Structures are given as structure tokens and as C-alpha cells.
Amino acid sequence: MSRIARDSFSSKFGVIAAAAGSAIGLGNIWKFPYITGVHGGAAFLFVYLGFILAIGLPIMLSELVIGRKSRRNSFGSFKKLVPKGLWKYVGVLGLGAAFFILSFYGVVAGWSVRYIFFAFTDAFKGSSAEITDFFNAFKTHPEKPLLYQLIFMLATGSVVVLGVNKGIEKVSKVLMPVLLILILILDVRAITLDGASEGLSFLFKPDFSKLSFEAILEALGHAFFSLSLGMGTLITYGSYINKKNDLVKTAIQVTVADTVVALLAGIAIIPAVFAFGLEPSAGPGLIFETLPNVFQTMAGGTFFSILFFLLLSIAALTSAISILEVVVAYFTEELKVKRKVATILATLLTTLLGVICSLSLGIYSDVTIFGKNFFELLEFISSNILLPLGGMLIALFIGWGLGKYKVFKEIAQGGKLDGRFLAIFMFLVKFLAPIAIFIVFLYGLGVFK
Ligand code: PFF
């Protein structure tokens, strides 16, 4: 029986660029710098790095093993590896998370695209209050943000429709080096500003008094989101990786790249905020309200603000591509539709859900469920419930479900087997990761509040 060869990544650099492209996103640029600063700088960093190493890295390796061994999408992979039982429903959870995350991610990414053009015309100049009003007026407008969300989602879909090798890999190989160059330029600008050192010490000076239990749990949750774990993104990408690739090395390289870029983003943003006598604010406010204040006073501000929003949009694009691919791979393999149809369908559905997210910040902001608008609700369900739950189940699957020899055999393909490494890895996925995630999960649900 002839079978069409499955699309796949063609080079090691392509694998790293695509997977790091997924990991490096809005999470690294707006969330990481802020949470590191407020939770005690280096003290928080220390805990975050511990989680990245002890939980993030093993789960990333687990996802790559599941994907490459099964050569299937996130749902089909569990079904193929262990056809009986409930494991395959882990993939369903992931699919739900993909829909939810992409819908609100597309909205924020759309703002970022719009701000590239605002930056060109210096549209967000004014007093601090005017800049905030400007952002609020834009994000709550019924149509304006939708247009840019649509542009962003169309860009995402047009890469995914081209396939893994000719679309995702090719684009990531170009965009990731561009992203690195942009962030380095912004870093040099930030640390050469007068008064930058205060920001650097906000970021890096260890303050253990700020390291609350909440901060520790936040570090774990963020490790998940930032590394794109828990919803089968790296199962899907893993399924396109060649048997000659070393999965352990790949997981380490992607983890290091994600962490380094988060640090570089912190260095690009926080010192600049302090240099102009401002306080870093939380979440989108930092990027769309505080930074425009910085740019309007900075020498060469227009130029640097264009670069910044370009950087943010590129980071968001390669992440969104990976999320859309989770859905498209499922549609093509499980529902047997062509990639083109699958991409159109997946883009359409996530964009429509995103439209509701966007409107829920403006004209429908009074419609709330459990005190949250639709945007906040989807963010909460995906980041605080679906990702940790998915991550925990993936760790348990590798630790208890698949069988140790199958796991080792897959790791050995293209890589070396090191007894001590494997023993530690199995301990982490069997016990430490699931237990730690379970605690975060309860925290995310507000059990400790
Ligand atoms: N890792 C991305 C970020 O830090 O912005 C977000 C993300 C992408 C989460 C892909 C989950 C995912 F599957």
C-alpha cells in the first residue's frame, strides 16, 4: 500500500527554531519581566529556574517522546501508543486548550500589530493618562481591534497552510534570528540609558522577603505557559522530528533559548522603565501603556518602539503558529480533511472565538461568568486548569502509562542513554512533576486563597 510521506522538519536548526518559536512568545516579553521584578528579582528567578529544570524540561522531553514515537497529532498519539483506556482524552484536553489560548492570544497579538503602525506615526504620544485612555479606547472599540486580530490570524493561517517543512520550519528559521537581533538591539539601548541600573537591580537583586508561597506557585505556572507545555504542542512538533535527532539535546536547547530570551526581554524593558522614572505595571499595561511613555521620551524612541512592537508581533506569530498546528494536525489526521480545509476551518473557529474575547473587553464587558469576562474566563480555564492538568497527565503517561523501555528506546534513537540521567528523569515524571503540578492546579483554582 502506498502512503504519502508525513510532512516533517528537515534540519536540526529548523526543529529548534520552530520549537523555540513556539515557546518564545507574549509570555516571555510582557509577563516574565514583570513577575520577576515584583516577586523578588533573583530570588524568584532562582525558583523559576529550578522549576524549569525539574519540571519543565522533563515534561518537554516527555512530549517530544510521545510525539516522535507515535508520529501522530496530540489526540492520535495517545490513541496509537495506548489504544485502550482513557489516555487518549489527554489529547482532547490539549485541543480545548489550543482553541481557547489561540483565541485570546490572537486578540493581544492583534493589538501588537496595530501598535507597530501607531509607532510609525507616534500616535500614542501624550501624558501618561492620555496614553492609557488611548489604549483603553482602542482595545474596547467594537471594530478596530478586530481588524488587526484578523490580520494576525490570517498571517498565522497562511504559514500553517503551507505545511510543516515549507511553512512552519521555513518561516521560523527566518523569524527567530530576526527576533534575536531585535531583542539585542533593544537590550543595548536599554542598558546604556542613564539610570538603567535601578531597573537591573529591580530585576536581578535577590529579595527573599518578596518570595511568597504565591510567587513560588506563580513561577511554576509561568514555566508551563512559557515553555508551551501541557497541551500537546510539543507532541505535535515532536511528531515531525527525524529519528536522527537527539530529543534530550533538543529539549535542553529549547528550554535554554526560552529562558535566555525571557531574561533578555526583562533587560530590554525594565531598565528603560526605571530610567524614565516609571513603575513597571502588570500584564498588557506594561507593554501598551508604560512602554509608550518610555518611548516618547527616549532618544530615537520612534525607531525603538517600531522595533519593539515588531519583536512582540514576531514572537506572538511563531507561538500562534504552533497552537494552530495542534488543531490542524488533529483535523487532518483524525477527521481526514486536507490541510487547506483544516487550516481554514481552524483559523475561522479560533478567530470567531477571539472576536467574542475582544468584544468582551468592550461592548460586552458587563457579561460575566464567575465574575470574569469572556476573555478572562478563557485565559483562566486554559492557563490555570487545562495546561497544568494536561502537563500532569503527560508526566504520568510517561512515568506510569507507556512503559519505561519504550520511553528509553525512543530517547536512545538519535541520542545517548545515560543511566543516571534516565533515573532522575523517571523520578521527576513519576513523582515530583505530577505532585508539584497538582499543588499549582489547586492554587490556580483558588484553593489556597
Ligand atoms: N509559550 C507561549 C508564550 O510564552 O507566549 C505561549 C504558548 C504557546 C502556550 C503554545 C502554549 C502553547 F502550546
Side-chain angles (χ1 to χ4, degrees), residues 22-28 101 105 222 224-229 231-233 258 315 319-320 322-323 326 387:
S22 168
I24 298 165
L26 297 172
N28 301 58
I101 294 181
Y105 212 80
H222 186 66
F224 253 88
F225 187 80
S226 190
L227 290 173
S228 302
L229 298 176
M231 52 167 264
T233 304
D258 185 64
S319 296
S322 73
I323 309 175
V326 170
L387 290 190

Side-chain angles (χ1 to χ4, degrees), residues 21 24-25 105 109 152-157 159 171 175 311-322:
I24 298 165
Y105 212 80
F152 177 82
M153 292 304 295
L154 283 177
T156 307
V159 176
V171 167
L175 290 186
L311 163 79
L312 191 64
S313 305
I314 290 175
L317 180 64
T318 49
S319 296
I321 287 170
S322 73

